[in-house]
Amino acid sequence: MPLQALPGFRDFFPEEFALRAHIFDAMRRVARRYGFEEYDGPPLEALELYTDKSGDEIIGQLYSFADKGGRDVALRPEMTPTLARMVAERANGLKKPIRWFSIPQLFRYERQQRGRLREHFQLNCDLIGEPGPLGDAEVIALAVDVMRALGLTATDVRVRLSDRRLLAVLLEEAGIGTARQALAFQALDKLGRSEYGPRRKALHEAGATDDAIAALESLPSITTWADLETRFPAAAGAGAPLRRTMDALDAMGLGDFVDLDLTIVRGLAYYTGTVFELFDAQRSLRAICGGGRYDNLLDRIGGVDLPALGFGMGDVVLGELLKERGVAPKAPASAEVFLVTATPEDRPAVLKLAHELRDSGIRVEYSLADDKIGKQMKLADARGARMAVVVGPDERARGAVVLKDLRTGAQQEVSMETLADAVRNLMGQGR
RNA sequence: GUGGUUGUAGCUCAAUCGGUUAGAGCGCCGGACUGUGGCUCCGGAGGUUGCGGGUUCAAGUCCCGUCAGCCACCCCA
């Protein structure tokens, strides 16, 4: 066996490529529907773009090396620094809010697992220059609509939504101040999992009281505004932006997808407000999508002080979910019409007709060898062709061919001049 | 990076206690059905049992290493 693809990298055979194209297509269609414009940047960047000011979380698993000129470079692990640079370059000339999206291939060097490779494609949508909660709703709605465009419903996929501004106040009220906030965020993220134990201990050692820890542990049980206002009457004000975001999603008719979930904090340190993740409803896969508001990041990276928010949605977990839910596309028929020669003398007519059909946009194939009709028909069938056109001497003498519907088996004689029309006519039926 | 677990045709799997030439279904290729596909029948190709070492008269099977997949951790784009 020849060399395989590197660990964590994928070969896309036609069937897999069909799934990828299906996902990309839904992403593009929906993003454009929201008025987002597509952009891209280089897949290889200077290492310092990531080590400098970006979140330290990523640099440990950068896919980096020295190029032949001795430059330290890295395959991009995320799109945000590139986006920040590009926006900063033209910030003055761009009408706000900026709505941009991209589907970059991203890389990271780490041990692969299911749903987590060394390479993936990720839809990135960012809304820049809008501080208000309607912007948050807009971006979350976009993510949800990609799910819907792919045939997923509120019983397949859930949005878990929180807000760091609200969390900070809640923790403060519970007796966990800003000094211990990072620890508390980590603990919150791990709550209910086996790794929570050590975080709890760390919190305790950092001086958090038993009451404060108990309050933190009760946050997952808060799933409605009523719960929140009952438990933290004084903190409800800090939840106002989040509430307006959720109200907007309700008004759009997408409320069914959304759960208030105070355990969502996101790993990246730069989030400053709304944070959200999309999961499969059964929670058996990793996150499909994650994002939030990062109002200070553009200033830090690009030197342009603009509020912003966005999300990343990877193709790997999403593809697995589509297969699991049975909404992945079947590989499309490679040819719609298959032309068959009865004798070698029919070849020129087949070539002419095939080319005319192709010119009119129909997917056409024909046997390249002078096989017997039966064998050519077998190939037509294997290709999934909707119909076959048999070109033989008898009909050809009359300027006609036989058009056969491979689904019903019915066939009719059609003049060569009207073949394209007859084909289109037949394709219009059924489907 | 750490720990656990699994590796047999393209795919899904079989092979007694360590015992002849590692099998089957599907798929693929070819043929029969002689101007018409699906069905059926016949034939064929395809394996260094992931790779390397060790134990043994004998290894797909036991041991060690390694690589790869999966799971958990780290981390989570």
Side-chain angles (χ1 to χ4, degrees):
Chain A
M1 185 158 1
L3 229 45
Q4 301 178 344
L6 255 20
F9 287 79
R10 297 171 286 176
D11 287 326
F12 288 91
F13 288 86
E15 186 187 333
E16 290 136 16
F17 195 91
L19 177 60
R20 165 177 153 184
H22 177 65
I23 291 172
F24 282 22
D25 181 56
M27 289 172 166
R28 283 208 169 86
R29 271 194 348 256
V30 174
R32 287 180 182 144
R33 207 185 277 168
Y34 275 74
F36 278 61
E37 299 173 290
E38 188 164 6
Y39 70 96
D40 198 1
L44 193 67
E45 291 272 18
L47 180 62
E48 61 178 344
L49 181 65
Y50 305 110
T51 54
D52 249 19
K53 298 165 187 164
S54 187
D56 297 337
E57 293 82 359
I58 299 175
I59 66 176
Q61 42 208 37
L62 275 177
Y63 213 114
S64 60
F65 52 94
D67 73 7
K68 289 185 178 179
R71 275 178 292 264
D72 289 322
V73 296
L75 290 164
R76 58 186 175 196
E78 59 167 336
M79 200 57 179
T80 309
T82 301
L83 172 67
R85 180 186 64 214
M86 291 172 67
V87 168
E89 198 176 313
R90 305 226 175 139
N92 287 337
L94 293 168
K95 188 73 182 165
K96 292 13 156 237
I98 300 162
R99 295 169 179 249
W100 281 6
F101 82 97
S102 188
I103 310 181
Q105 189 173 23
L106 305 178
F107 306 85
R108 65 154 130 208
Y109 195 90
E110 60 158 8
R111 194 193 288 279
Q112 67 161 323
Q113 280 182 47
R114 186 183 182 204
R116 209 174 176 202
L117 310 173
R118 285 183 170 179
E119 148 273 321
H120 76 155
F121 292 92
Q122 188 187 66
L123 171 65
N124 271 249
C125 293
D126 290 274
L127 183 62
I128 298 160
E130 173 52 53
L134 227 45
D136 301 61
E138 185 82 342
V139 164
I140 293 167
L142 200 171
V144 170
D145 278 347
V146 173
M147 301 295 109
R148 292 177 59 231
L150 288 166
L152 298 171
T153 67
T155 57
D156 299 314
V157 60
R158 308 295 307 167
V159 179
R160 301 164 69 198
L161 181 58
S162 182
D163 189 322
R164 285 193 172 187
R165 291 164 295 196
L166 171 61
L167 280 176
V169 173
L170 293 183
L171 292 172
E172 184 78 45
E173 240 182 69
I176 299 177
T178 48
R180 293 186 282 272
Q181 197 183 85
L183 267 179
F185 277 174
Q186 278 183 24
L188 207 48
D189 186 46
K190 304 292 183 197
L191 213 57
R193 283 183 273 165
S194 58
E195 316 89 72
Y196 173 62
R199 320 280 167 167
R200 181 190 175 133
K201 200 174 160 201
L203 262 178
H204 206 78
E205 283 164 1
T209 65
D210 289 344
D211 280 354
I213 290 178
L216 181 142
E217 288 171 355
S218 74
L219 291 183
S221 67
I222 296 176
T223 56
T224 66
W225 291 109
D227 289 345
L228 184 65
E229 282 162 6
T230 310
R231 299 279 310 285
F232 295 91
L242 182 60
R243 183 161 196 175
R244 285 187 58 198
T245 296
M246 291 182 79
D247 285 346
L249 288 166
D250 276 338
M252 293 177 194
L254 298 177
D256 281 352
F257 281 87
V258 183
D259 299 320
L260 176 65
D261 186 334
L262 298 177
T263 67
I264 295 293
V265 295
R266 304 281 302 148
L268 294 173
Y270 55 63
Y271 288 113
T272 56
T274 306
V275 282
F276 68 95
E277 297 187 342
L278 267 63
F279 279 88
D280 68 290
Q282 293 159 355
R283 302 288 306 279
S284 63
L285 304 171
R286 294 164 193 283
I288 297 162
C289 169
R293 179 167 280 284
Y294 50 95
D295 283 345
N296 304 323
L297 187 65
L298 288 184
D299 193 22
R300 249 167 54 209
I301 295 184
V304 189
D305 190 9
L306 285 171
L309 81 156
F311 67 80
M313 178 188 292
D315 70 313
V316 181
V317 175
L318 188 51
E320 280 171 7
L321 180 59
L322 294 181
K323 282 187 276 188
E324 205 177 281
R325 301 271 79 192
V327 289
K330 310 278 171 284
S334 42
E336 294 164 320
V337 176
F338 198 102
L339 303 189
V340 169
T341 52
T343 68
E345 287 68 41
D346 302 313
R347 179 65 63 190
V350 162
L351 294 174
K352 180 171 187 287
L353 289 170
H355 197 256
E356 285 171 3
L357 290 172
R358 283 170 172 170
D359 266 354
S360 65
I362 296 164
R363 298 199 302 270
V364 175
E365 185 180 346
Y366 49 84
S367 174
L368 297 172
D370 289 321
D371 291 319
K372 286 186 295 191
I373 289 187
K375 191 167 175 184
Q376 296 182 62
M377 293 297 287
K378 271 194 188 10
L379 185 53
D381 188 55
R383 290 293 197 246
R386 173 74 197 279
M387 58 198 93
V389 174
V390 181
V391 181
D394 299 345
E395 297 85 356
R396 194 152 49 79
R398 297 192 289 274
V401 295
V402 172
L403 177 61
K404 177 167 184 173
D405 185 333
L406 290 177
R407 288 187 171 179
T408 63
Q411 58 183 47
Q412 54 180 313
E413 193 167 311
V414 174
S415 82
M416 291 187 188
E417 285 75 27
T418 60
L419 179 60
D421 290 336
V423 163
R424 243 192 300 276
N425 202 348
L426 203 52
M427 279 198 300
Q429 300 172 15
R431 237 321 111 176

